[in-house]
Amino acid sequence: MAVRKAEVRRRIVSKDGHNNVRINNVEGMVKLYLHDIWTTVVDMKWRYKLTLFASTFIMTWFIFGVFFYLISMGNGDFEATLSSNHTPCLENVKTFTGAFLFSLESQTTIGYGFRYITEDCPLAIFTLVAQLVITGLAEIFVTGAFLAKLARPKKRAETIKFSRCAVVCRRQGQLCLMIQVANMRKSPLIQCQLTGKLFHANVTQEGEKTQVHQTSVNFFVDSSSECPFLILPLTFYHILDERSPLAGLSAENLHSREMELLVTLNATMESTAATTQSRTSYVPGEILWGYEFKPVIFATAGGRYVADFNFFDKVQVSSDAAFLNNAEKLKLEENYKKE
């Protein structure tokens, strides 16, 4: 159990696709985030975004309410005794509450007509114009960021399911590493492409050691590197030949290798033509040697196909004779059943 925890802690990408890398000691991090304020606001969590959305309105109402209150105070509108020819800047505004309500009514274009600016107070007119321009831009920005987050296909990626484990067995006479991917919605994903990255330690010819080295891992469906659409669960495979970055992988050295396989599915949603991306990763403890996936797709008597996800993460011993007497296979099978 302690070994598994250590492996989880050392993941670069979690099983649900989240980044596990923590960034420390970056000088001027706040300044960098403010330089790209649009991305910062769009990437905010919903609770912060809703707070920002509400506070943008409330704070602008309050700030310009203070301005109008100070303008009226400077004009002497709140004095106890006023001359008969005194013209207030804001009619029917006697308190700060009235100034706040005038600011709210002006910005939201409610315009009850009870509180209004007189034409003898140019400073109040200028403040009103400035309020409408400034708050209009602020509201456009915040509302645009709000809608941009709603339109992001991030939630669509959550309906893409990867198999919990990868398997290694023979396919068409070649040793392959295979993973299974499924679309959980009826609307198909088109122009799908699965790419892989192998993270592992590396030593260059010059003797330079790198903690994390990335190597591309190609995945295929049948004889093509792309699939036209994803409407049924598909099995993607990577051939373990001499050109593979996983060349030399065997049941004996699988668990002793320090590596992590990141797989990313890029696809286009048919309904909106927006692109979506989903990812997961596999560590050696999640790669089963000598297994194959159980069938997931079944035909019904009514002429329809059914994808039964009760079998999606189920595996079975490979029927290939080369794996039947493998002691490591039996050990992995026993561990898998315990999970």
Side-chain angles (χ1 to χ4, degrees):
M1 184 64 69
V3 174
R4 289 183 182 176
K5 289 184 178 179
E7 289 179 349
V8 171
R9 285 196 297 267
R10 295 189 62 181
R11 280 185 184 273
I12 296 177
V13 177
S14 63
K15 289 298 289 183
D16 57 1
H18 288 90
N19 183 7
N20 281 339
V21 178
R22 187 176 65 184
I23 301 175
N24 289 335
N25 304 321
V26 178
E27 185 177 354
M29 176 65 77
V30 175
K31 186 178 180 180
L32 293 174
Y33 273 76
L34 291 178
H35 277 177
D36 189 10
I37 187 66
W38 173 258
T39 304
T40 301
V41 174
V42 172
D43 287 342
M44 277 184 177
K45 294 182 178 180
W46 275 111
R47 55 180 177 269
Y48 300 132
K49 189 178 292 294
L50 292 173
T51 302
L52 177 65
F53 186 81
S55 61
T56 300
F57 289 92
I58 295 173
M59 290 303 298
T60 51
W61 297 339
F62 177 81
I63 291 173
F64 282 95
V66 172
F67 288 160
F68 288 122
Y69 181 78
L70 294 177
I71 291 172
S72 296
M73 182 182 293
N75 193 48
D77 297 344
F78 302 145
E79 295 180 2
T81 57
L82 297 174
S83 60
S84 59
N85 60 351
H86 177 79
T87 303
C89 281
L90 300 175
E91 286 286 355
N92 301 313
V93 174
K94 305 300 182 183
T95 62
F96 174 74
T97 303
F100 175 80
L101 289 174
F102 173 76
S103 174
L104 185 154
E105 294 165 8
S106 300
Q107 187 172 326
T108 56
T109 66
I110 295 175
Y112 291 122
F114 181 71
R115 302 176 185 88
Y116 57 91
I117 295 176
T118 60
E119 60 185 14
D120 295 333
C121 193
L123 181 58
I125 297 174
F126 174 81
T127 304
L128 177 61
V129 173
Q131 178 185 12
L132 297 179
V133 173
I134 294 172
T135 57
L137 293 174
E139 291 169 10
I140 289 173
F141 179 84
V142 175
T143 306
F146 194 90
L147 295 176
K149 190 172 181 69
L150 283 174
R152 294 176 71 180
K154 187 175 181 180
K155 292 299 181 181
R156 182 63 175 93
E158 295 179 1
T159 57
I160 299 173
K161 184 177 177 64
F162 292 92
S163 57
R164 185 166 59 91
C165 294
V167 298
V168 178
C169 63
R170 294 191 183 277
R171 183 186 178 109
Q172 296 180 355
Q174 294 179 305
L175 190 63
C176 299
L177 183 145
M178 297 187 291
I179 64 172
Q180 204 161 221
V181 184
N183 176 18
M184 307 293 288
R185 296 178 68 96
K186 285 188 176 181
S187 58
L189 295 171
I190 60 176
Q191 297 178 352
C192 301
Q193 186 171 13
L194 190 78
T195 58
K197 289 290 183 181
L198 183 67
F199 298 122
H200 59 97
N202 184 56
V203 180
T204 65
Q205 295 180 355
E206 294 76 19
E208 180 183 358
K209 296 181 180 180
T210 55
Q211 185 73 20
V212 179
H213 180 75
Q214 298 187 32
T215 307
S216 296
V217 179
N218 297 321
F219 282 90
F220 303 90
V221 175
D222 297 329
S223 60
S224 173
S225 60
E226 297 181 358
C227 68
F229 58 89
L230 180 61
I231 193 170
L232 293 171
L234 293 176
T235 301
F236 291 81
Y237 66 92
H238 167 73
I239 301 174
L240 298 176
D241 55 12
E242 64 279 358
R243 296 171 295 179
S244 169
L246 293 170
L249 188 68
S250 64
E252 290 73 22
N253 63 17
L254 173 60
H255 287 274
S256 62
R257 295 188 63 163
E258 291 289 336
M259 65 178 187
E260 178 180 350
L261 177 62
L262 169 67
V263 292
T264 304
L265 180 72
N266 296 286
T268 301
M269 293 182 289
E270 185 185 49
S271 55
T272 62
T275 58
T276 184
Q277 185 180 93
S278 184
R279 66 181 68 89
T280 190
S281 70
Y282 299 92
V283 294
E286 297 165 345
I287 301 176
L288 303 179
W289 188 276
Y291 287 83
E292 60 187 12
F293 293 112
K294 285 189 174 182
V296 179
I297 304 173
F298 303 93
T300 64
R304 302 182 65 181
Y305 288 101
V306 175
D308 191 345
F309 283 91
N310 287 327
F311 297 93
F312 185 77
D313 285 318
K314 299 299 177 80
V315 297
Q316 61 188 9
V317 178
S318 174
S319 57
D320 191 344
F323 296 103
L324 291 180
N325 298 322
N326 194 312
E328 184 69 13
K329 172 192 70 64
L330 298 176
K331 182 180 178 180
L332 287 174
E333 181 180 15
E334 184 179 355
N335 293 336
Y336 186 79
K337 290 180 179 179
K338 289 181 180 179
E339 295 178 356

